[in-house]
Amino acid sequence: RKEVEQDPGPFNVPEGATVAFNCTYSNSASQSFFWYRQDCRKEPKLLMSVYSSGNEDGRFTAQLNRASQYISLLIRDSKLSDSATYLCVVLGGNTGGFKTIFGAGTRLFVKA
Amino acid sequence: EAQVTQNPRYLITVTGKKLTVTCSQNMNHEYMSWYRQDPGLGLRQIYYSMNVEVTDKGDVPEGYKVSRKEKRNFPLILESPSPNQTSLYFCASRTGGNQPQHFGDGTRLSIL
């Protein structure tokens, strides 16, 4: 089993749609959680951190459920510019916070 | 401007010819990492460093070496490159605690 698993995708959605990405992690000692966005052949860029209380940034909402070891990202009112790969990232665990594990990513295509 | 700088951005070389990919950050970050990204496998950590002269193996360290003689620099060394090391490589840095990483622009290596 992979340490961080994401929906394989790709997701093809029309503009204006709401899209949900899901991610699960296997190490219950994991400490921090993030969503990154990666455009084709470019470097990953931080989209948002994920907190247990849930957090929102404009059209984006992230949730963390530690009991279920589950992370989600919701994008409302999708834009063409949201087309990218979304990476779930988990930091920490038994190695003392040094190990960063990336999910394989879920590709999103938003179409007009 | 805060940034992580990798060089070269692109390199085509031949099997067995030693090469070094440089990485430098200007944010005084303690932690630095190297990743490779391959289709279907996502980002995998090669090596990481917690501070000067402190490095450790990630998930796929075979065939690679690193050094951290100065806080700002973290070069990746391929002593005898082989075709299976053809990949997209990213350097990243972060400050202490459970903070997100900042990535360089990436280096695309082709080993013939």
Side-chain angles (χ1 to χ4, degrees):
Chain A
R1 182 189 171 190
K2 292 181 181 178
E3 292 184 76
V4 176
E5 294 203 64
Q6 296 186 238
D7 293 331
F11 292 174
N12 292 283
V13 303
E15 273 186 294
T18 296
V19 188
F21 299 95
N22 301 312
C23 173
T24 56
Y25 60 96
S26 61
N27 190 336
S28 60
S30 298
Q31 298 167 8
S32 297
F33 311 89
F34 308 98
W35 282 102
Y36 277 73
R37 170 200 168 119
Q38 186 176 25
D39 294 289
C40 190
R41 298 175 182 269
K42 297 279 184 77
E43 77 277 18
K45 292 185 178 178
L46 179 67
L47 183 63
M48 57 198 306
S49 301
V50 189
Y51 305 113
S52 297
S53 55
N55 47 302
E56 188 174 308
D57 183 3
R59 299 181 293 110
F60 300 84
T61 301
Q63 297 272 358
L64 165 64
N65 184 323
R66 285 189 183 270
S68 302
Q69 294 177 209
Y70 170 87
I71 306 158
S72 66
L73 174 69
L74 190 74
I75 304 177
R76 291 179 298 278
D77 189 23
S78 301
K79 312 291 184 191
L80 294 175
S81 57
D82 292 334
S83 296
T85 297
Y86 290 83
L87 303 170
C88 174
V89 183
V90 175
L91 176 66
N94 299 332
T95 56
F98 305 131
K99 193 172 184 183
T100 304
I101 309 294
F102 284 77
T106 303
R107 189 83 186 268
L108 172 66
F109 295 97
V110 181
K111 300 186 176 181
Chain B
E1 180 190 352
Q3 58 185 6
V4 179
T5 304
Q6 295 178 228
N7 278 297
R9 293 291 313 281
Y10 304 92
L11 178 63
I12 300 173
T13 188
V14 296
T15 299
K17 186 176 181 181
K18 180 180 178 180
L19 67 92
T20 299
V21 185
T22 63
C23 175
S24 180
Q25 51 94 4
N26 62 1
M27 296 169 279
N28 202 36
H29 285 169
E30 289 86 3
Y31 301 138
M32 297 186 74
S33 294
W34 275 104
Y35 298 87
R36 61 177 289 174
Q37 187 172 33
D38 302 289
L41 297 175
L43 278 148
R44 293 178 293 168
Q45 195 171 38
I46 302 170
Y47 269 95
Y48 59 91
S49 169
M50 293 76 81
N51 215 320
V52 175
E53 302 292 359
V54 184
T55 64
D56 207 349
K57 296 177 181 178
D59 295 316
V60 288
E62 295 77 21
Y64 304 95
K65 286 174 58 177
V66 293
S67 69
R68 188 92 181 272
K69 293 184 170 57
E70 305 164 281
K71 198 171 188 178
R72 63 182 292 124
N73 296 323
F74 190 44
L76 179 70
I77 304 156
L78 285 71
E79 292 272 5
S80 183
S82 61
N84 64 11
Q85 293 177 298
T86 292
S87 188
L88 176 59
Y89 291 84
F90 289 104
C91 179
S93 73
R94 66 180 178 90
T95 188
N98 298 321
Q99 297 302 309
Q101 296 189 81
H102 301 260
F103 283 84
D105 289 341
T107 296
R108 188 165 290 279
L109 282 184
S110 293
I111 316 295
L112 305 177

